[in-house]
Amino acid sequence: MALTKSDVERFEAFRPRLEAIAYRLLGSASEAEDAVQETFLRWQATDVERVEVPEAWLTKVLTNLCLNQLGSARARRETYVGQWLPEPLLAGDPMLGPADTAEQRESVSYAVLTLMERLSPNERAVYVLREAFDYPHREIAAVLDITQAASQQIFHRAKKRVADGKARTEIDEAAARRIVEEFLVAATSGRTEPLVRLLTEDAIAIGDGGGKVPARAKAFEGAVAVATFMRGLFKPSKAKRAIAGGSPEVYITTANGDPAVVAVVDGRVVGVMCLEVTAEGIAAFRNQVNPDKLERVTEQWAAADHGEPLLNAF
């Protein structure tokens, strides 16, 4: 049955919310877009006049498509080259979804998206729908074809698993930016000691190159190991310039609600390093350099004014 203009408008009005749900579930903007488009095709193929609550119907279809995708994604990630990290999104991207509450902001942080990889598909779905979008357990149960009691149990289990892996209390945005600025100064000083002072003792550094850009398969752990790696990362060399396609301009911005360092070469984003900044220091660096996961960020970057870079790396 052909959709009327009103039917299409109803779907488009809900598209941003669907994309935000799918992104949190999949950790990939491109896969989220595909899932939402497939949801639209299902909407197009159904008799929409018989759909009593379009929002509930669309959420159910989308969530189940994402659950199927998560199952196959887990299999693909077993053969993924190196570490797998989510696709970062810059501040202002509508796919980040609602950010009115601390829970909503935290649910899309790079740290929590990474931690959600520990959850089963059902745990991830319940956690996202409840924590980020405040769906009542009655509606979540209907989406997943489970009981309300099961939804509540899954949510508490998922929330505990995410909380167990979280770093210490975060600090305000202005203070976090100052620490990131101090980090860049220290990283380019050629000395390890100033970097160590900015890190927590159990700091980690993880990179995702997807086999297309060099990135260490195993995370660096501990302040000294991370500081040594960062000092080397920001040390200029012809080899690094060759890999990046030039000498990157480095900016401080926000990605997934966290302070981030963005490296840009000729308008193309070649790396987004999300920093987990806590009251005790920088607890984690998660560096996305897989070009397949930087296409949307590059489009965002080209559409905005970022002023002058803080420095030129490499």
Side-chain angles (χ1 to χ4, degrees), residues 131 196 289:
E131 189 80 345
V196 171
V289 292

Side-chain angles (χ1 to χ4, degrees), residues 87-228:
E87 181 177 347
L89 298 179
L90 300 182
D93 192 315
M95 198 174 280
L96 289 170
D100 299 324
T101 67
E103 290 79 13
Q104 289 173 336
R105 292 189 294 272
E106 186 176 72
S107 70
V108 80
S109 73
Y110 214 58
V112 170
L113 285 179
T114 304
L115 286 170
M116 280 199 287
E117 289 296 305
R118 304 178 180 184
L119 306 181
S120 70
N122 258 24
E123 286 175 337
R124 190 160 181 161
V126 172
Y127 181 83
V128 166
L129 292 174
R130 180 63 182 165
E131 189 80 345
F133 296 92
D134 201 29
Y135 279 88
H137 284 290
R138 170 178 50 80
E139 293 183 19
I140 296 173
V143 166
L144 297 176
D145 293 322
I146 57 177
T147 65
Q148 289 188 55
S151 177
Q152 291 169 340
Q153 290 172 355
I154 292 171
F155 174 69
H156 290 306
R157 183 168 66 242
K159 191 167 184 177
K160 183 178 185 303
R161 292 185 69 185
V162 170
D164 286 346
K166 279 167 54 179
R168 293 145 290 273
T169 305
E170 296 179 4
I171 59 178
D172 66 80
E173 185 176 340
R177 183 181 176 90
R178 285 195 299 271
I179 290 176
V180 177
E181 290 173 347
E182 290 177 24
F183 157 72
L184 286 175
V185 171
T188 54
S189 70
R191 297 165 54 225
T192 303
E193 295 79 9
L195 279 167
V196 171
R197 289 196 292 269
L198 291 172
L199 310 180
T200 61
E201 290 185 3
D202 57 351
I204 62 168
I206 307 170
D208 178 352
K212 299 185 177 183
V213 174
R216 191 169 184 261
K218 186 178 180 181
F220 291 91
E221 299 181 0
V224 174
V226 171
T228 302

